[in-house]
């Protein structure tokens, strides 16, 4: 019995092994990812940072099961077969159903599940409150700002309660204040549920604030070139954490690493 438990504990939730991906280009194929390896344990919150165009979204699409690639992608030790309800995705370009209202976008995934209608309505109401869109329940996406749409996309993914959250710059379109609210909500959800999270962000502060581990990706073709383990006390309020020496030291280390990759990407682009 014990052996089974131990064995389960050592299988990472996500294993990305030697994943490479190229897209057809005008003349030559564009190599977006080159032999990327990444293992994420159950309950870990991992962020990926790296220069624009280095292949971060590509990696997330491959893990989401939307794009085929060379190499292996395993979830719970098994090769993925396309998208699955175990992986909830928030896309960089928030994909809402234009013909559904805010409430019905959030309810969409739940309607295929086994929950009673009252329970689904309760979840939708709670999330509408969390994303600050009370009063907008019956609006359509075309009536919302970019930031509002992104909040609905996040709520829709959270509503289905997937074991793994794959987030592609989920707060990129939000104003600073809403961004903080949503970061704190994500942190609260993660502390409560210990979901496995892979988040892409350009915001080093956000990555340090939320993650257990930060992976820095190189300029294209993307590879993970450096990892930082983050060991901050998550119960400290953000104001105190952000001004602490430990936070600033980590933030600077990550920032320098990201900057190096961004400079390498600029050089690469200058040559093209
Ligand atoms: N469908 C596609 N066809 C051809 N090339 C693509 C396609 N999608 C992405 N690419 C190219 O692959 C590379 C990686 O793109 P990707 O969107 O993964 O980068 P990213 O790191 O997410 O960038 P950003 O930070 O700007 O979101 C880029 O050079 C991009 O131009
Ligand atoms: Mg991207």
């Amino acid at each position: 019995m014990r052996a089974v438990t131990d064995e389960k504990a050592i299988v990472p939730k996500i294993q990305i092994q030697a994943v490479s991906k190229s897209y057809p280009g005008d003349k030559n194929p564009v190599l977006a990812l080159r032999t990327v390896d990444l293992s994420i344990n159950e309950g870990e919150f991992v962020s990926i940072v790296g220069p624009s165009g280095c292949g971060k979204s590509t990696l997330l699409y491959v893990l989401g099961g939307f794009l085929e690639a060379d190499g292996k992608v395993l979830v719970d030790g098994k090769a993925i077969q396309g998208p699955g309800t175990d992986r909830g995705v928030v896309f960089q370009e928030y994909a809402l159903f234009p013909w559904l209202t805010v409430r019905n976008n959030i309810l969409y995934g739940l309607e295929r599940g086994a929950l009673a209608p009252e329970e689904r309505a309760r979840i939708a109401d709670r999330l509408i409150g969390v994303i600050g869109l009370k009063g907008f329940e019956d609006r359509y996406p075309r009536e919302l700002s970019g930031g509002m749409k992104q909040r609905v996309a996040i709520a829709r993914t959270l509503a289905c309660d997937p074991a793994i959250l794959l987030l592609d710059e989920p707060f990129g379109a939000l104003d600073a204040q809403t961004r903080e609210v949503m970061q704190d909500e994500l942190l609260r959800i993660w502390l409560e549920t210990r979901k496995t999270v892979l988040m892409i962000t350009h915001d080093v502060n956000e990555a340090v604030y939320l993650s257990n581990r930060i992976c820095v990706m190189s300029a294209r073709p993307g590879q993970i070139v450096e990892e930082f383990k983050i060991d901050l006390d998550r119960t400290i309020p953000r104001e105190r954490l952000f001004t602490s020496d430990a936070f600033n030291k980590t933030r600077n280390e990550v920032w320098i690493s990201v900057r190096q990759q961004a400079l390498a990407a600029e050089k690469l682009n200058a040559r093209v």
Side-chain angles (χ1 to χ4, degrees), residues 57 92 168-169:
S57 294
Q92 187 169 4
D168 194 352
E169 299 190 43

Side-chain angles (χ1 to χ4, degrees), residues 51-58 61 92-93 168-169 200 202:
S52 185
C54 74
K56 303 179 296 296
S57 294
T58 302
Y61 298 156
Q92 187 169 4
E93 280 150 29
D168 194 352
E169 299 190 43
I200 292 169
H202 278 286

